[in-house]
Amino acid sequence: MSIFTPTNQIRLTNVAVVRMKRAGKRFEIACYKNKVVGWRSGVEKDLDEVLQTHSVFVNVSKGQVAKKEDLISAFGTDDQTEICKQILTKGEVQVSDKERHTQLEQMFRDIATIVADKCVNPETKRPYTVILIERAMKDIHYSVKTNKSTKQQALEVIKQLKEKMKIERAHMRLRFLLPVNEGKKLKEKLKPLIKVIESEDYSQQLEIVCLIDPGCFREIDELIKKETKGKGSLEVLNLKDVEEGDEKFE
Amino acid sequence: MVLNSLDKMIQLQKNTANIRNICILAHVDHGKTTLADCLISSNGIISSRLAGKLRYMDSREDEQVRGITMKSSAISLHYAKGGEDYLINLIDSPGHVDFSSEVSTAVRVCDGCIIVVDAVEGVCPQTQAVLRQAWLENIRPVLVINKIDRLIVELKFTPQEAYSHLKNILEQINALTGALFTSKVLEERAERETESQVNPGSERGEQVYDWSAGLEDTDDSQLYFSPDQGGVVFASAVDGWGFGIEHFARIYSQKIGIRKEVLMKTLWGDYYINMKAKKIMKVDQAKGKKPLFVQLILENIWSLYDAVLKRDKEKIDRIVTSLGLKIGAREARHSDPKVQINAICSQWLPISHAVLAMVCQKLPSPLDITAERVEKLMCTGSQTFDSLPPETQALKAAFLKCGSEDTAPVIIFVSKMFAVDAKALPQNKPRPLTQEEIAQRRERARQRHAEKLAATQGPASVEPPEDGGAPETSPKGEETKGGEHQVEGETLKPQPEEGSSHESFVAFARVFSGVARRGKKMFVLGPKYSPVEFLRRVPSGFSTPLDDLPPVPHMACCTLENLYLLMGRELEGLVEVPPGNVLGIGGLQDFVLKSATLCSSPSCPPFVPLNFEATPIVRVAVEPKHPSEMPQLVRGMKLLNQADPCVQILIQETGEHVLVTAGEVHLQRCLDDLRERFAKIQISVSEPIIPFRETITKPPKVDMVNEEIGKQQKVAVIHQTKEDQSKIPEGIQVDADGLITLTTPNKLAVLSVRAMPLPEEVTRILEENSDLIRSMEQLTSSLNEGRNTQTIHQKTQEKICEFKRKLEQHLTGRKWRNVVDQIWSFGPRKCGPNILVNRSEDFQNSVWTGSGVKASKEASRYRDLGNSIVSGFQLATLSGPMCEEPLMGVCFILEKWDLSKFEEQGASDKHNQERRDVVQEAQAEGEACPGRGEKGGPQDGGSEPSEQKTSQRGESSLTDCYGPFSGQLIATMKEACRYALQVKPQRLMAAMYTCDIMATGDVLGRVYAVLSKREGRVLQEEMKEGTDMFIIKAVLPVAESFGFADEIRKRTSGLASPQLVFSHWEGTESPAHRSRSQGGPCLPSGTSAGCAATGSGCRDPLCRVLGQAGGPPECVPPLGWRADRAAWCTSQWCGRARGSLLQPCRITTVYVRRQVVPFLTFCSQTGPFLQSRI
């Protein structure tokens, strides 16, 4: 065993350690900070960008490299790079506070962007800006949950924001073409799902143009398919009913 | 003088011949408001001691703090001269360029104006501007050369120097007037020429060209300012003195014994007097003699100043006694010489007298309104007076007559609306009580006091009085109030206010004809109203009451509710206003937005819109601090919009509220108003979001170093790019030509899409015709449903054909063969500048085909699927893969759509309707079944299992585990389009403004400097005929436009003012792209390398937006730097291992719209950190 002196010691700085326990032993690899997440999400493809060194350690901070026989017994191979990859994908990482912070911040922004994208000011039928939504989210003290998808959380945020400000999901404009005999019956069933009926036309077919909450789309779609046995059709005229173009105050 | 009572004013208003409506115009800080103060003090409204310090007309707090006037305000003054009483409606206007709109509103209601010029600074940019405005409105100017005391005190000029200086200024101004005059004459001549070109028959024979330009023929002697005509006053408003030549001519004609008329002619100019011979000579015979003006006038003033400044008590006394003045003991003893001068001069040469006398003498009364001006006011745009209907033409007489009979039509022009605190309105204001009432109240108070004393329990009484809202009927409140206001007389309680409207709007208006009476019904004519339209709709000689007229656009009816006399910050209620007067009208806010014409006859045309010198150009986005306060903000902005003649307010598509103002100072005032008066909420202000468009370009023919890219290389590149198409997941086929083939998740449909850039002209045509496309879309959709309610208008049909022909004309070549006929849809929103083309064989639903083809029932199902694909295309074009910005100029070609499997199911579906219940197979099998991919496969129930499955599907085909099939198609189409884009060289397009700059020749260089600094490109430059103004046309990226107007104004000291109008989108070819653009995405990690390699600043709009130009080090945006509202970046230090070499880099990842865009990774090498790493 070599003498442990400061001069011949190669110290790795800026390390994020990824650990894995296998066959009763602990293995570690040294990675760059922030990069492990990138690797796992598939943004980073270059292994060299992630790993500080291709060797597998028992203890990174002490610089103790894992023994070959241990590797073979645990992983069935002594190809260090291969093992590194395994550990990278399956091992546990300590997420640094900065990483977590940026992740949370990013999610927060994502949520705000989704909300801004989906919602309008019901008075003007125009979207809110992301900045404004972010501010509103801070106002209601919304805390981001990392284990939920941003879309899910965005829907939650919309619900909470509705109490504070005038915000509503942008309506979807649909057109139904229903056979007349079933149309009447179906219309009653559809009614609770529809927000505004813009036009109705009973010539050979019942034609309805209406605004709905996008959340109900699936339900409506299924209902029509089921009730009319495929004869009725549904057409999306507009995904988001928002005012277009600039408007001048007059 | 004494404060004029309201009755006196009302009396004066009736004598139209003795009314003068004037405004004071000048460059900023030339002393308009001070002069106004002096004039006001002559009426005793303010003390003459305070004149010049109080700035009475600056009633806003920020006006007082900043020391500049920000709005025009009017006051009525009384002036008596030679036994005649005059009413002077004086309007003070702001001089700052940001508020030049206020000048326009003031000029419109006046007949004359006083141009004030600083004797030291001379003619300034705004002096030119206001002269031009006065000229355009055809109102007559008089000149006041102000601040002559500065020549004495600051510059220490001798009288002789001062004289030549003043002469200089006068010449400058006259030169300006001359230039205006020439350009007008030239314009008229040009007009005449075009007219004669239109009907050349008459003058054919005459070939002699008229070179004289008509200048010689036109008399211009009346135009110029000259002291001997009495149109110039020399003054010092601060010291309270001013004189016209006439004043001295009168004095000296007595003293020297030369006739006044002679003196009038000779006091100004190079005339010299021989005292002994009492003769005035034209030429200076004895050298070193002084002109009359110096000798007789200036020297006297100089010696007075000299005496006072040197505190020569004796001399002062001598002068004072010789002038026959009486100086108050207080002023005489005052240590500040300024006060003494003021005291002496304001008695010796009172400025108000000099100015008002000139005004009364030189400026026209409302009766003298010229026919020319009337015609100009009545004819909007290119209309000529003769083209107006006869009823309208008849009104001209009324204008000219300005009569006050009951038969005369009432014509009022509202030039602006201004907000007044509702409490300040006369009807709400506490008004002084009559003697009896005071006595009554006193008695009551006494009684109560006695009661209270008797009770001797006093704590309840000392309750502070509350104004406004609280119900004031409680006796206690009244009592305390009464006690407080005992001296000034008791006050009546204001009317309880209705609602929360604290701001009340008063229209700033002038009666041009007839008598405005309270309660009179009037038509409100908006700027776009046309009397022709009215006469067409309403038969002539209508006798119906005003209320039930048919609706005519831009016209409304209202009743004059409250009329006010404008007295600066005060308003006085009036019952009627005779013609020719300036007045305030309350209760019009629901009818009038900014300006309007009120008339008792509907045949009156609306007046020409005010011409604003400055158009609003500074744009900011405004948001409430607390999102829940949005409604207040919107309401506040609406009020602001009404209260300010120049401001513009937009809601953009992004939902931003954008405030457009004339300049920074104006912006500041608008924001203050919004915060404190109109919205009363906290707001935050930022730059508005800059829009971008995404597009693709042709793969380049040359690489970065301008070497041609060979075929081989190309292939290699494609292979390479395919490798790092990390964005494109497995399972998608990409061929070498960028054709993307994608299958829906349930494997039932296959779409092949290719993206191609559209030629620029085509994009332009599409943009221009978006309205036409939209109407086409509506037409087809109505036809789709078999409703033929809308018949195609002949014209529209022609337009469509024309549009199609144009497209065909530009889409030529092998690639585009037959494309026009195969156009399926436009996008985004079905009318945008992108095209979806369907190249499959069985396609027949192009946008051009009308109803006939689609009627077939069979197509119905097919149509639904088609709709889904089109929706997918719409989605894809709405937000591109780069920054989620809309696409532009991209053609998506659907080369193949293999829906055979789905159709096959549909077909077999019908066959097997009755057998449906038998079959209970798992659907997943059906989807996974690989063998049924080919077209024309087993169709009519050949194989039993397939049939069973498909029949099952017939019921639930749209609800398999991947969701509804239509949804799948949408998503697949969208994805396919996105990938098709990504394999092409993508570009961002930046919005561009066209920018018109008017500048004088001497600041041209500086204009160019600012333009080039901001990436502007000059398109053309030409000189305006008859002036020394240049007109420069340039294009400028929107991203660069913030602060542009301000910068250009600052750099050219206000001599150039730009106007920005959005013009087009422009994608810039950047070297960064070229390095990698052979098929790869636009900004790969090579961006920085590209920038570095070229060494020059990166011209890419995105790059610029992100990193403000430059190579790698500059390309790295600062931490947390925000590219756009939707994009942001983080940046960390991390390592990058390349072989054995550890290369530290600063990695900046830019997130655009919640999407990590790895190809926007900027890297830069930085030395110091190398150490710390290893």
Side-chain angles (χ1 to χ4, degrees), chain B residues 133-153:
Chain B
Q133 277 189 326
W135 179 265
L136 288 175
E137 284 284 344
N138 279 6
I139 69 171
R140 204 171 300 159
V142 289
L143 186 67
V144 171
I145 299 184
N146 195 15
K147 303 199 188 180
I148 294 198
D149 60 312
R150 286 181 70 193
L151 295 179
I152 310 170
V153 181

Side-chain angles (χ1 to χ4, degrees), chain B residues 855-873:
Chain B
S856 57
K857 216 46 190 170
E858 178 265 328
S860 149
R861 172 158 222 141
Y862 211 51
R863 199 185 76 207
D864 288 348
L865 298 182
N867 275 337
S868 305
I869 292 179
V870 172
S871 301
F873 160 76

